[in-house]
Amino acid sequence: MDKLLLVIDVQEDFFRTGRLAEKRVQFTLALNELLTQFRDKNQNIIWVRQVFKDDLSDSYLTLRQSKQKWTIEGTVGCEVLNELVQKPNEPEIIKKRYSAFFNTELEEILNAIAPSEIIIAGVNTHACVRVTAIDAYQRDYQLVLAKECIDSYDQGCHDESFGYMVNSGIGVPLSNAQIIEKLKS
């Protein structure tokens, strides 16, 4: 049975300052461990990136209203962290909203792969990770939350959202060691 690793928004802009910048080395080491294991076991990996036009005309409402800019098309900030290796055969979804399902080809790709389980990794727990996880759950996918590879710039938001996803049954939290053990079976 195919398993799939869904890697959400591990982009330079989110790891420049603050809590995620401080955890960058630890986070990327853990995610690289999963990426290596998924590739070694010939399992699927899908990358998701949030990318906006410079004028924010394609961004979500709050961002347009605030005029803050991050993950802008053509900038280093919208690129996947340079410590991570993205292979050409691994699909990439470009999204404009929190959910990786909203107006993207993700559902079509998942229908073709028909994974038995989706392992979610990425940032930010309270926004793009949580909303994508809920949308996957609403489509009846079995979800695993990669505990060492999901985080947020805000500890409180991370804790609350991660707890919500676990306590409501949306996803099962597993360590890298537990996920890797499941890949062997």
Side-chain angles (χ1 to χ4, degrees):
M1 297 279 268
D2 281 341
K3 296 186 186 331
L4 181 138
L5 179 61
L6 187 62
V7 184
I8 302 170
D9 292 353
V10 287
Q11 296 167 261
E12 292 289 341
D13 273 352
F14 296 122
F15 287 82
R16 286 188 193 274
T17 61
R19 188 169 177 276
L20 289 177
E22 294 166 10
K23 299 182 84 177
R24 183 174 176 142
V25 171
Q26 171 188 344
F27 187 93
T28 55
L29 286 172
L31 185 50
N32 271 325
E33 179 182 39
L34 284 186
L35 290 165
T36 298
Q37 291 298 316
F38 270 72
R39 290 173 182 138
D40 287 351
K41 301 291 184 199
N42 294 314
Q43 298 298 303
N44 295 289
I45 298 168
I46 297 177
W47 297 82
V48 177
R49 285 190 306 130
Q50 174 179 277
V51 179
F52 300 123
K53 294 178 182 175
D54 187 55
D55 66 3
L56 300 177
S57 61
D58 59 346
S59 72
Y60 50 91
L61 182 61
T62 307
L63 192 60
R64 284 194 311 269
Q65 290 172 337
S66 74
K67 299 194 184 338
Q68 295 177 21
K69 291 189 178 184
W70 54 72
T71 64
I72 300 300
E73 183 177 51
T75 67
V76 172
C78 79
E79 299 302 322
V80 167
L81 297 176
N82 64 13
E83 300 93 328
L84 302 174
V85 177
Q86 190 174 2
K87 302 282 186 175
N89 64 323
E90 297 164 351
E92 179 179 75
I93 305 296
I94 300 297
K95 67 181 180 61
K96 306 294 181 177
R97 298 296 186 268
Y98 287 166
S99 177
F101 286 91
F102 186 83
N103 285 340
T104 72
E105 63 276 14
L106 179 58
E107 191 159 14
E108 181 181 309
I109 293 169
L110 291 175
N111 287 340
I113 295 170
S116 61
E117 192 170 60
I118 297 174
I119 292 79
I120 295 183
V123 298
N124 279 297
T125 317
H126 61 284
C128 300
V129 170
R130 179 175 170 163
V131 176
T132 299
I134 290 169
D135 280 355
Y137 174 78
Q138 294 296 322
R139 289 165 171 80
D140 295 326
Y141 286 106
Q142 295 290 323
L143 299 179
V144 168
L145 305 171
K147 291 194 302 189
E148 296 153 67
C149 301
I150 293 177
D151 216 327
S152 176
Y153 63 82
D154 181 280
Q155 181 74 54
C157 288
H158 167 75
D159 293 343
E160 183 177 330
S161 290
F162 199 88
Y164 168 77
M165 290 186 289
V166 171
N167 295 330
S168 63
I170 290 170
V172 176
L174 295 180
S175 67
N176 276 13
Q178 292 170 309
I179 293 168
I180 291 166
E181 190 59 36
K182 284 184 78 153
L183 285 174
K184 294 176 183 176
S185 57

